[in-house]
């Protein structure tokens, strides 16, 4: 067993954890004692190296007599500098230095030599030592100064290396950003864009894996949309959500989507919030990651996740550049969605079931095997007018069920055919839900009561945040169940001029007057409703209704015939 002498020299009250840690690898007892005596009580050394952190402390010296034990100490204990004798019982010459340098990494090494051979010292510095000392010529002042300068030079070299690596990382990211910008211009679809982003990031030697995920509509789960790099089944093995109350939602990806801020995971082995994914990440050599939210204004498109095989790979300016790449992706997706919306009649439909609304009519659909359809909803200041048709039930039975229904204050039958009739309902209870949907860019395209269920469909332009709409509706009513999402073509393509005037030129009151008049049969012959009846429904004077209607008609017809 080799001799090991660990000596701690500190003043009263000093914390040895913050002390300067010196590893002395020297087999000669006399030389070792001399070095230790020279360093005894040298508070000056600690003050030179780190004036604020180690003030008032003397160095902690660990002595090993063999190379093997010295290497073990380097691996297991904190070491600020190594004082190394080249000739040890189990190693000799510059090979000793190379072995220690390989194990110590950036820790500075000062070689101790017993000969006045300048060439040995020069070769030692060329092979990684910071300096060398001839034992017979060492003084306390020279030893302190040499150690100080060695540590300082090593620190400067480390800072230069870090700066160089940061610069290389930024240059690399700028090239990636340029390529992604090019992909934005050349790709035709969102899926192509997202895959191109992942491919470009995974091509870089700095990153091991990249994937883009988005929240699955109707749930909190984040699902993959595109991926590239070393995946090996990772995405199938893990579960990621945005639920803050569950550990699966408190990781980088879920937090980035929830907060809209870039999230960095520095070390997969120690990060406390990365527990659910730690083993899966270790198995694929993911040591650190960054999650970048892909958002534009109030739209949350998803999250870009990038992984590295090195810890602390995403710090400082590199994270800022990756965050800007997320903004570029979000703007590109927005542009693609808007372009598609201009050239296509496709819209997104969200289907829901509501449990505790118009329950008497829901029961009627079961007992009478009838179907009640709502084709148009018109909102006014304090109420909602619903226009629709009923099939398979008599007008009397339908009216009686409406009278028993909470939330509906009045019903008016408009036209009757052989097997169906049209009606108008006044439903103030549904105003809040209707306004919430309309305020956030949606509209209730249809609602149906049949087979004991009340279902309604919300139509959204492509590119809108469907998850946000689902959550808003759930907030309004806790008895709503999300059923499905689909992309569909509008049944009829509206003329661009008339559509524009309805959406942009009419005031809310003018549009309500025009829509109510149309669906209430005001323009039919004979008229299904008089102006007085419509004004009463809207809660305004007949003259006011007539003014709103005439103004809306003039604007609408001007859009059709004006040119």
């Amino acid at each position: 067993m080799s001799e090991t002498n660990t000596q701690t020299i500190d003043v009263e009250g000093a914390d040895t954890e913050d002390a300067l840690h010196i590893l002395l690898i020297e087999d000669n007892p006399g030389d070792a004692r001399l070095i230790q005596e020279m360093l005894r009580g040298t508070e000056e050394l600690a003050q030179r190296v780190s004036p604020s952190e180690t003030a008032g402390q003397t160095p902690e010296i660990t002595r090993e007599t063999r190379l093997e034990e010295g290497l073990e100490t380097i691996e297991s204990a904190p070491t600020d500098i190594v004082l190394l004798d080249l000739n040890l019982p189990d190693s000799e010459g510059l090979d000793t230095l190379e072995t220690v340098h390989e194990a110590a990494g950036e820790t500075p090494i000062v070689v101790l030599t017993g000969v006045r051979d300048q060439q040995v010292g020069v070769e030692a510095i060329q092979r990684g030592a910071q300096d060398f000392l001839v034992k017979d010529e060492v003084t306390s002042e020279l030893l302190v100064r040499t150690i100080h300068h060695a540590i300082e030079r090593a620190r400067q070299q480390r800072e230069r290396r870090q700066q160089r690596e940061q610069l290389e990382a930024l240059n690399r990211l700028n090239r990636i950003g340029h390529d992604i910008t090019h992909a934005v211009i050349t790709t035709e679809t969102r899926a192509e864009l997202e895959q191109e982003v992942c491919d470009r990031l995974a091509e870089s030697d700095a990153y091991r894996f990249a994937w883009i995920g988005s929240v699955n509509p109707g749930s909190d789960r984040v699902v993959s949309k595109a991926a590239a790099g070393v995946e090996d089944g990772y995405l199938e093995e893990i579960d990621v959500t945005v639920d803050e109350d569950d550990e699966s939602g408190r990781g980088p990806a879920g937090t980035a989507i929830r907060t809209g801020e870039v999230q960095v995971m520095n070390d997969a082995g120690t990060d406390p919030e990365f527990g659910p994914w730690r083993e899966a990440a270790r198995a694929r050599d993911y040591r650190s990651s960054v999650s970048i939210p892909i958002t534009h204004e109030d739209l949350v498109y998803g999250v870009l996740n990038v992984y590295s095989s090195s810890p602390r790979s995403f710090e400082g300016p590199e994270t800022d550049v990756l965050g800007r790449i997320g903004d570029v992706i979000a703007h590109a997706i927005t542009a693609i969605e808007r372009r598609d919306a201009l050239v296509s009649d496709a819209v997104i439909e969200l289907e829901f079931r509501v449990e505790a609304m118009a329950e008497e009519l829901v029961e009627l659909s079961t007992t009478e095997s009838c179907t009640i359809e709502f084709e148009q909803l018109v909102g006014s200041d304090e109420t909602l007018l619903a226009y629709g048709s009923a099939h398979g039930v008599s007008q009397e039975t339908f009216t009686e069920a409406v009278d028993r229904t909470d939330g509906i204050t009045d019903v008016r039958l408009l036209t009757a055919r052989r097997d169906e009739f049209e009606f108008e309902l006044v439903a103030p209870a549904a105003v809040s839900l209707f306004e919430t949907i309309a305020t956030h860019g949606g509209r209730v395209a249809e609602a149906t009561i049949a087979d004991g269920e009340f279902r309604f469909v919300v139509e959204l332009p492509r590119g809108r945040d469907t998850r946000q709409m689902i959550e808003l509706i759930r907030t309004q009513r806790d008895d709503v169940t999300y059923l499905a999402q689909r992309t569909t073509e509008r049944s009829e393509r509206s003329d661009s001029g008339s559509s524009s005037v309805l959406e942009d030129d009419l005031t809310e009151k003018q549009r309500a007057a025009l829509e109510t008049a149309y669906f209430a049969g005001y323009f039919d012959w004979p008229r299904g409703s008089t102006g007085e009846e419509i004004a009463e429904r809207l809660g305004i004077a007949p003259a006011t209704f007539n003014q709103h209607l005439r103004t809306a008609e003039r604007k609408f017809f001007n859009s059709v015939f004006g040119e």
Side-chain angles (χ1 to χ4, degrees), residues 363-562:
E363 182 181 355
L364 182 67
S365 71
T366 302
T367 58
E368 297 291 328
S369 299
C370 65
T371 299
I372 302 168
E373 297 179 343
F374 301 91
E375 286 93 16
Q376 186 68 25
L377 303 178
V378 181
S380 61
D381 289 340
E382 298 180 357
T383 192
L384 182 70
L385 301 180
Y387 294 94
S389 59
H391 311 257
V393 63
S394 69
Q395 298 181 29
E396 181 181 0
T397 302
F398 175 78
T399 304
E400 291 175 354
V402 169
D403 291 339
R404 298 193 306 269
T405 302
D406 292 336
I408 299 177
T409 59
D410 198 4
V411 59
R412 202 157 56 94
L413 303 180
L414 301 177
T415 60
R417 301 182 182 87
R418 183 168 56 86
D419 56 349
E420 68 173 2
F421 57 89
E422 295 179 352
F423 58 81
E424 173 195 75
L425 298 180
V426 182
V431 168
S432 178
L433 177 61
F434 175 82
E435 288 183 345
T436 296
I437 294 171
T439 300
H440 291 84
R443 74 178 189 92
V444 179
E446 60 181 83
T448 304
I449 298 175
D451 301 323
E453 289 187 341
F454 190 158
R455 297 192 178 199
F456 64 94
V457 174
V458 175
E459 185 180 280
L460 287 170
R462 288 185 62 179
R464 300 299 297 179
D465 187 348
T466 57
R467 181 176 179 274
Q468 181 189 47
M469 178 60 73
I470 293 169
E471 292 304 317
L472 286 168
I473 292 174
R474 284 174 169 170
T475 301
Q476 283 290 322
R477 297 191 62 97
D478 57 11
D479 62 335
V480 167
T481 301
Y482 167 77
L483 299 176
Q485 173 179 323
R486 51 187 172 265
T487 302
T488 184
E489 298 291 324
R490 291 188 180 93
S491 57
E492 294 182 3
R493 186 177 180 90
S494 301
D495 175 80
S496 58
S498 59
S499 176
S500 176
V501 71
L502 286 174
E503 295 176 0
D504 302 331
D505 294 349
L506 299 186
T507 67
E508 291 185 9
K509 294 183 182 298
Q510 291 166 0
R511 179 166 179 166
L514 185 61
E515 289 184 338
T516 305
Y518 177 79
F519 289 103
Y522 181 78
F523 299 109
D524 295 344
W525 187 262
R527 282 180 171 172
S529 299
T530 66
E532 289 76 8
E533 290 173 327
I534 297 174
E536 182 182 357
R537 285 286 186 256
L538 295 175
I540 57 179
T544 303
F545 162 71
N546 189 62
Q547 178 185 356
H548 291 328
L549 180 61
R550 295 304 181 196
T551 303
E553 288 174 335
R554 177 179 54 78
K555 290 181 178 180
F556 183 82
F557 290 133
N558 186 60
S559 71
V560 177
F561 302 118

Side-chain angles (χ1 to χ4, degrees), residues 84-365:
L84 176 66
D85 181 15
L86 293 182
N87 296 312
L88 300 170
D90 54 345
S91 181
E92 291 186 0
L94 293 173
D95 289 342
T96 305
L97 170 62
E98 291 183 351
T99 303
V100 173
H101 181 56
E102 182 177 350
E106 295 182 337
T107 302
I109 302 170
V110 173
V111 167
L112 303 175
T113 177
V115 296
R116 294 182 179 87
D117 188 343
Q118 188 75 15
Q119 185 60 34
V120 172
V122 172
E123 289 188 26
I125 293 174
Q126 290 174 343
R127 298 197 186 190
Q130 283 291 343
D131 210 336
F132 73 97
L133 291 170
V134 179
K135 296 179 185 179
D136 293 342
E137 298 177 353
V138 175
T139 65
S140 179
E141 174 60 28
L142 177 60
L143 180 60
V144 168
R145 186 169 65 249
T146 301
I147 291 175
H148 170 226
H149 289 164
I151 292 176
E152 182 63 19
R153 282 195 298 271
R155 182 187 63 79
Q156 292 175 355
Q157 290 173 354
R158 184 166 55 251
E159 289 180 352
R160 285 195 295 270
R161 177 190 58 77
Q162 291 172 347
Q163 291 171 354
R164 184 173 61 254
E165 289 177 352
Q166 282 187 353
L167 182 59
E168 291 173 352
L170 289 176
N171 288 336
R172 179 179 60 248
L173 270 177
N174 285 329
R175 290 193 297 271
I176 292 174
H178 179 271
D179 292 345
I180 289 174
T181 302
H182 179 71
V184 167
I185 300 171
T186 58
T187 52
E188 292 293 327
T189 67
R190 175 177 173 178
E192 291 175 350
L193 172 65
E194 291 174 335
Q195 188 59 54
E196 184 71 22
V197 170
C198 293
D199 289 342
R200 184 61 189 89
L201 288 166
E203 285 174 4
S204 170
D205 293 336
Y207 307 128
R208 189 162 178 79
F209 177 50
W211 67 285
I212 291 177
S214 63
V215 180
N216 196 30
S219 76
D220 292 323
R221 192 165 185 270
V222 180
V223 296
S224 172
K225 297 297 184 182
V230 181
E231 192 263 347
D232 293 339
Y234 180 73
L235 296 174
E236 294 182 2
E237 186 174 335
I238 66 170
D239 186 29
V240 180
T241 72
V242 293
D243 184 0
E244 190 176 8
D245 297 327
D246 189 277
E247 63 176 1
S248 65
R250 294 194 291 269
T255 304
I257 292 177
R258 195 170 56 251
T259 64
E261 298 178 355
V262 176
Q263 302 295 313
V264 175
M265 187 275 294
N266 282 317
D267 193 330
T270 60
D271 191 299
E273 301 295 347
F274 201 69
W277 312 277
R278 198 182 315 282
E279 294 306 317
R282 280 176 171 171
R284 295 158 180 85
D285 197 26
Y286 304 157
R287 298 290 303 280
S288 61
S289 73
V290 62
S291 295
I292 303 121
I294 303 174
T295 61
H296 178 69
E297 296 179 351
D298 62 338
L299 300 180
V300 181
Y301 291 119
V303 61
L304 168 63
N305 304 279
V306 187
Y307 299 79
S308 170
S309 57
S310 301
R312 298 191 171 277
S313 290
F314 304 97
E315 294 184 326
E318 187 170 4
T319 302
D320 295 336
V321 175
L322 283 167
R324 289 196 292 272
I325 288 177
D327 293 337
V328 170
I329 299 169
H331 280 83
I333 293 175
T334 301
I336 290 172
E337 298 284 6
R338 287 176 177 173
R339 180 197 64 199
D340 291 347
L342 290 174
V343 300
S344 171
D345 283 334
V347 294
I348 296 174
E349 291 184 346
L350 304 176
E351 185 173 5
F352 300 87
R353 179 177 63 245
V354 58
E355 303 295 340
M357 180 179 284
E359 293 175 284
E360 288 75 9
L361 294 180
V362 172
E363 182 181 355
L364 182 67
S365 71

